[in-house]
Amino acid sequence: MSGNGNGAATAEENGPNMRVIRVGTRKSQLARIQTDSVVAMLKAFYPGLQFEIVAMSTTGDKILDTALSKIGEKSLFTKELEHALEKNEVDLVVHSLKDLPTVLPPGFTIGAICKRENPYDAVVFHPKFVGKTLETLPEKSVVGTSSLRRAAQLQRKFPHLEFKSIRGNLNTRLRKLDELQEFSAIILAAAGLQRMGWQHRVGQILHPEECMYAVGQGALGVEVRANDQDMLDLVGVLHDPETLLRCIAERAFLRHLEGGCSVPVAVHTAMKDGQLYLTGGVWSLDGSDSMQETMQATIRVTAQHEDGPEDDPQLVGITARNIPREAQLAAENLGISLASLLLNKGAKNILDVARQLNDAH
């Protein structure tokens, strides 16, 4: 089986009618920008194909008055898109990888993980606080974030600040920051601000010692039907090997911890000289209790590999037949090993208490 996907397109390109690939996406401006970037990459590989974008609203887009961690639904931003995929209304769906649960519903797989952009979190300040940092904001300043992960880490690091939930798409959150006098700053993913062309609003980038990022943050995932070999071949060319392996390790860590958006879990990964480094941590809701560790594994990504029929192609919801299987398994094992280390040291208690408190509030 070829991993380059060219065979998937050739027969259709030579036919009298140009083939149309239907691409599902959320309706927000950022989601559309992200989807357009993936479609542009696919067009570069397959100039003979046409792409039609199908935009829809998801549960997470509709429920805007509740913190994400309270809604209790793992597939907040994906369920409606997967429903369209299942009904054959679209051929593939573009997601922010951090929105995709580590266990996908049966019948779906992530067929491509594109090259990761900046995975860090960024601080955007109210106009009157431009030039400040979180450290220099006045006592009791209110910082907006929709993420328990960010709030827990930053409360621990900046105890003079107060953290409050803020929901809505990027446009809405920036408008709330600028127009209401409620927030001194808000925390957003740097990648989203970059994709929207709003780099000028970034007042501070949070580095790992201040705030580690979410699993998969900064990467885009392309979801397809697991049995659609044609589409798997087509999108597989978009896999970025380093991003893929880092994200497999991160997702395996989160899955083994049984974490999700209702508990504060964060990661940091790096590839250097054939070594994959994974730092992972868990926090109590207020950040007072925490635990983090770092592990590394040797990863070889040189030789191409083709799965035999006996192989289960999916690892943490991802199918990547054109990336060496041995490297993928090493990345997955790294994530599982780090999660096991933390669990053995008592991380389960921190997570259980965080879950209970989050459910109670």
Side-chain angles (χ1 to χ4, degrees):
M1 187 207 83
S2 158
N4 63 15
N6 290 341
T10 308
E12 297 288 353
E13 285 171 21
N14 293 341
N17 299 316
M18 190 180 279
R19 183 179 177 191
V20 177
I21 307 294
R22 298 154 305 163
V23 183
T25 178
R26 288 165 62 193
K27 280 184 175 173
S28 76
Q29 187 184 355
L30 176 60
R32 291 298 301 264
I33 287 170
Q34 292 178 166
T35 301
D36 287 347
S37 74
V38 170
V39 167
M41 286 188 278
L42 287 170
K43 279 180 175 171
F45 280 106
Y46 310 113
L49 295 184
Q50 270 192 319
F51 294 87
E52 176 193 333
I53 293 175
V54 181
M56 57 194 86
S57 293
T58 65
T59 306
D61 296 313
K62 294 169 189 167
I63 305 175
L64 294 176
D65 57 351
T66 309
L68 293 178
S69 58
K70 302 277 190 236
I71 302 171
E73 167 63 66
K74 279 186 178 172
S75 50
L76 276 178
F77 297 108
T78 58
K79 189 191 279 183
E80 286 79 2
L81 295 162
E82 285 171 342
H83 193 50
L85 201 53
E86 185 176 37
K87 293 197 296 185
N88 220 16
E89 292 169 359
V90 295
D91 301 300
L92 57 101
V93 175
V94 178
H95 301 279
S96 291
L97 185 61
K98 69 175 182 176
D99 290 339
L100 280 165
T102 54
V103 180
L104 297 184
F108 302 105
T109 190
I110 300 164
I113 295 180
C114 307
K115 186 173 175 59
R116 189 177 219 163
E117 292 193 43
N118 184 341
Y120 297 112
D121 289 315
V123 189
V124 179
F125 291 92
H126 186 282
K128 70 182 178 189
F129 291 119
V130 166
K132 295 274 191 188
T133 64
L134 289 182
E135 201 162 3
T136 59
L137 277 177
E139 189 85 19
K140 302 285 187 198
S141 292
V142 177
V143 177
T145 173
S146 57
S147 156
L148 294 180
R149 169 189 62 80
R150 291 169 180 152
Q153 292 181 82
L154 294 173
Q155 272 179 287
R156 183 182 179 91
K157 192 80 180 170
F158 306 103
H160 70 292
L161 302 176
E162 293 181 2
F163 293 86
K164 187 175 173 183
S165 178
I166 183 169
R167 288 288 319 282
N169 60 38
L170 282 190
N171 311 57
T172 304
R173 282 186 253 177
L174 281 174
R175 193 170 63 249
K176 285 180 180 177
L177 171 68
D178 292 342
E179 294 178 7
L180 307 177
Q181 297 305 309
E182 189 176 357
F183 299 101
S184 300
I186 59 175
I187 316 292
L188 300 166
L193 289 163
Q194 283 174 352
R195 289 174 185 138
M196 294 285 276
W198 292 341
Q199 296 93 321
H200 65 285
R201 291 301 309 264
V202 175
Q204 182 179 1
I205 293 286
L206 296 173
H207 294 292
E209 57 277 10
E210 296 166 312
C211 189
M212 291 199 296
Y213 44 80
V215 166
Q217 185 160 310
L220 300 179
V222 182
E223 189 178 19
V224 298
R225 291 177 291 274
N227 62 357
D228 190 344
Q229 195 56 55
D230 186 32
M231 210 47 59
L232 277 165
D233 288 354
L234 190 110
V235 303
V237 296
L238 300 181
H239 270 307
D240 176 68
E242 180 177 316
T243 302
L244 170 81
L245 295 168
R246 286 171 62 188
C247 290
I248 284 176
E250 292 172 17
R251 285 171 65 83
F253 172 72
L254 183 63
R255 180 195 266 190
H256 199 65
L257 280 179
E258 296 184 347
C261 67
S262 63
V263 287
V265 174
V267 293
H268 178 263
T269 49
M271 284 272 281
K272 191 177 179 187
D273 302 327
Q275 295 289 307
L276 175 57
Y277 297 85
L278 170 64
T279 302
V282 302
W283 286 260
S284 58
L285 287 191
D286 65 359
S288 60
D289 203 0
S290 75
M291 187 179 292
Q292 63 185 72
E293 294 287 349
T294 302
M295 292 180 82
Q296 68 191 80
T298 302
I299 304 281
R300 294 184 182 86
V301 289
T302 45
Q304 289 296 300
H305 173 84
E306 297 196 359
D307 287 323
E310 75 284 358
D311 286 324
D312 175 6
Q314 285 203 46
L315 292 179
V316 286
I318 300 162
T319 302
R321 290 178 180 271
N322 52 344
I323 307 294
R325 181 77 171 172
E326 182 188 351
Q328 294 183 58
L329 289 168
E332 182 188 44
N333 288 335
L334 176 62
I336 292 169
S337 299
L338 184 63
S340 298
L341 176 62
L342 287 180
L343 290 170
N344 289 339
K345 288 188 160 194
K348 188 175 189 310
N349 186 50
I350 296 175
L351 292 172
D352 285 347
V353 171
R355 248 187 224 103
Q356 288 160 7
L357 284 172
N358 183 57
D359 291 345
H361 287 171

